[in-house]
Amino acid sequence: MLTEKLQINSITPHPSVEYWSVCKVESLFETPFLELVYRAAQIHRKYFNPRAIQLSTLMSIKTGGCPEDCGYCPQSARYHTGVQNQQLLDVDEIVAKAKIAKARGAGRFCMGAAWRGPKPKDIEKVTEIIKAVKSLGLETCGTFGLLQDGMAEDLKEAGLDYYNHNLDTAPEHYAEVIGTRRFDDRLSTLGKVRKAGLKVCCGGIVGMNETRKERAGLIASLANLDPQPESVPINQLVKVEGTPLEDAEELDWTEFVRTIAVARITMPKSYVRLSAGRSGMSEEMQAMCFMAGANSIFYGDKLLVTGNPEEDGDQLLMAKLDLEPENAENKKAS
């Protein structure tokens, strides 16, 4: 029943969320580029301080060996990508990384584990990790896959703030990318997360040979979740040799910026995170993304197992653009 309810949330209007049909979102994508960016910038300034960027650090606490067949993922055991299977890291090692992240300005520490979903014994270890990281004064976020009943409540009790579970792509394109789970499986876990009182971090990946209409379908699915996700990571596909999508067609940079802008317009109160793929983006492209409403980035040299801009480079770029790390004092629109 929970899955059915969430399916309805993604396709029908609700009092607390403006309903976005795929056609309506697609028409936003077709707005002249500079007009679209300007409209998104106006909405961004209504709800957020446009100079404040929320900084998060992402760490892989359990790497490789995942049984899923996600066509974009180098951590799948089905593909030969050079990623080695590693067990769950020790608490002390994770806490040491979290301390470094906090010292460098990160306000949120995100942890990812490569498995289809955790087993009860895994949850016992993960909750210990969450408690230790939370004690440092950091916001905590976890991406641990599909959850069984009761697991979200255990994570909440341990101090987890956000649960990341991306929709990845539009429902119509989903089977082209992933065969080992269904789109509805994602919605089911999101329902468990919301029921437990956790905040939701949920976005997707663009550049996986989807059409513009399918990009609009992804954004519509996200925007029609009720309530909308507090954090929306927009990832550009990082093409990894050995994965089925290593030869995916290159996405024009303007189409990515359009996606950021449309996400901002349809989800005005959500953090829109400029996420994976940023290491391949020019400073000018990133600046346009910030102008179009992106106000969160992953900060650090690695995203799970793929590269990310170095901290020094991010600091220089933020200085050039007169941006600053978000804190309690500067986060709201003036």
Side-chain angles (χ1 to χ4, degrees):
M1 294 298 294
L2 186 56
T3 302
E4 292 174 4
K5 181 180 179 182
L6 280 164
Q7 283 182 283
I8 293 172
N9 282 356
S10 67
I11 59 174
T12 58
H14 284 261
S16 63
V17 174
E18 178 181 356
Y19 176 60
W20 290 94
S21 68
V22 175
C23 289
K24 188 176 179 181
V25 176
E26 193 175 13
S27 71
L28 280 179
F29 271 95
E30 294 169 356
T31 305
F33 180 77
L34 293 179
E35 182 181 332
L36 177 65
V37 171
Y38 177 67
R39 180 177 170 186
Q42 288 181 304
I43 291 174
H44 185 197
R45 282 154 175 73
K46 181 178 179 180
Y47 295 100
F48 293 96
N49 175 357
R51 290 184 56 200
I53 302 295
Q54 191 274 324
L55 302 181
S56 296
T57 293
L58 176 61
M59 180 182 183
S60 179
I61 64 172
K62 191 277 173 190
T63 303
C66 182
E68 301 259 39
D69 67 352
C70 306
Y72 54 81
C73 186
Q75 298 200 68
S76 172
R78 299 165 184 256
Y79 312 134
H80 301 289
T81 61
V83 175
Q84 300 299 313
N85 186 8
Q86 299 177 3
Q87 297 305 307
L88 192 65
L89 297 177
D90 293 333
V91 176
D92 291 345
E93 183 175 355
I94 296 168
V95 168
K97 293 288 187 181
K99 288 179 178 178
I100 293 172
K102 183 179 181 181
R104 291 176 175 173
R108 187 180 306 165
F109 193 73
C110 305
M111 295 162 279
W115 46 42
R116 176 177 171 82
K119 298 178 175 62
K121 64 179 181 180
D122 299 318
I123 289 292
E124 291 180 18
K125 297 177 182 177
V126 168
T127 53
E128 182 184 356
I129 292 166
I130 292 167
K131 290 175 183 177
V133 173
K134 184 71 173 178
S135 71
L136 301 177
L138 287 163
E139 285 189 323
T140 55
C141 178
T143 177
F144 307 130
L146 303 175
L147 297 178
Q148 300 174 27
D149 290 343
M151 287 183 172
E153 285 78 5
D154 290 340
L155 296 172
K156 170 71 173 178
E157 185 178 352
L160 192 70
D161 296 299
Y162 288 80
Y163 195 81
N164 168 256
H165 203 60
N166 292 335
L167 294 183
D168 290 335
T169 190
E172 298 76 17
H173 189 60
Y174 201 82
E176 299 297 318
V177 179
I178 303 164
T180 51
R181 62 170 183 258
R182 302 172 304 154
F183 191 83
D184 290 354
D185 295 330
R186 311 296 276 181
L187 295 177
S188 178
T189 285
L190 288 173
K192 292 180 173 70
V193 167
R194 279 297 189 200
K195 185 179 178 182
L198 289 164
K199 295 178 182 178
V200 167
C201 176
C202 184
I205 307 169
V206 297
M208 298 194 296
N209 293 326
E210 76 281 354
T211 63
R212 176 180 278 185
K213 184 174 183 179
E214 287 166 341
R215 278 190 288 282
L218 167 64
I219 298 299
S221 296
L222 293 167
N224 290 329
L225 292 173
D226 188 11
Q228 292 183 332
E230 284 82 3
S231 183
V232 182
I234 303 296
N235 301 274
Q236 181 163 266
L237 175 67
V238 177
K239 292 183 278 190
V240 179
E241 185 177 354
T243 62
L245 286 168
E246 64 175 303
D247 295 320
E249 184 177 349
E250 200 71 31
L251 188 72
D252 189 83
W253 71 270
T254 58
E255 193 68 16
F256 186 85
V257 176
R258 284 181 189 273
T259 307
I260 293 288
V262 171
R264 170 52 65 213
I265 292 168
T266 58
M267 293 171 278
K269 298 180 182 180
S270 302
Y271 283 87
V272 175
R273 179 177 296 137
L274 184 56
S275 198
R278 200 160 58 85
S279 60
M281 299 178 187
S282 67
E283 289 187 343
E284 294 82 358
M285 179 179 172
Q286 292 184 65
M288 287 299 296
C289 288
F290 294 133
M291 184 68 185
N295 61 339
S296 177
I297 61 172
F298 276 125
Y299 188 63
D301 64 353
K302 184 176 284 190
L303 291 179
L304 296 180
V305 296
T306 57
N308 198 44
E310 297 282 352
E311 289 94 342
D312 290 347
D314 282 335
Q315 290 174 359
L316 289 171
L317 177 59
M318 290 178 68
K320 288 180 183 180
L321 301 179
D322 298 309
L323 300 174
E324 56 191 16
E326 183 189 83
N327 55 47
E329 287 73 36
N330 68 7
K331 66 189 300 183
K332 297 297 183 182
S334 59

